[in-house]
Amino acid sequence: MARERAELLTVRQVLDELGGISRRTFYRWRELRTAPRCIRLPNGELRVRRDALDAWLDELGEGVR
């Protein structure tokens, strides 16, 4: 069975989904290695896999563990 492709989100889509955080905040999180894992495309743009964002959000949930 072929692996289903995960949706790739733009940084703007991620910012909107996170409640409109600023681009600066997102890139700061990347510097601190606390942002969701990103993929850098050959053209230099970043993408975040939908499943990686969902997993990252689940890890941030309070009372989990």
Side-chain angles (χ1 to χ4, degrees):
M1 184 168 158
R3 187 176 142 202
E4 190 175 317
R5 289 187 184 193
E7 178 184 8
L8 295 178
L9 304 171
T10 64
V11 172
R12 171 58 38 209
Q13 289 172 310
V14 172
L15 300 179
D16 290 344
E17 187 151 332
L18 295 176
I21 66 163
S22 72
R23 185 173 292 271
R24 181 176 180 182
T25 296
F26 181 80
Y27 281 98
R28 179 69 177 146
W29 289 350
R30 280 187 40 84
E31 289 175 13
L32 297 172
R33 299 192 187 282
T34 58
R37 192 167 182 201
C38 297
I39 297 168
R40 185 167 302 278
L41 299 177
N43 66 1
E45 293 182 12
L46 292 178
R47 295 292 186 269
V48 178
R49 285 167 113 56
R50 162 60 64 193
D51 54 354
L53 178 61
D54 291 342
W56 179 77
L57 288 170
D58 286 344
E59 290 175 13
L60 294 176
E62 291 186 18
V64 177
R65 291 182 209 201

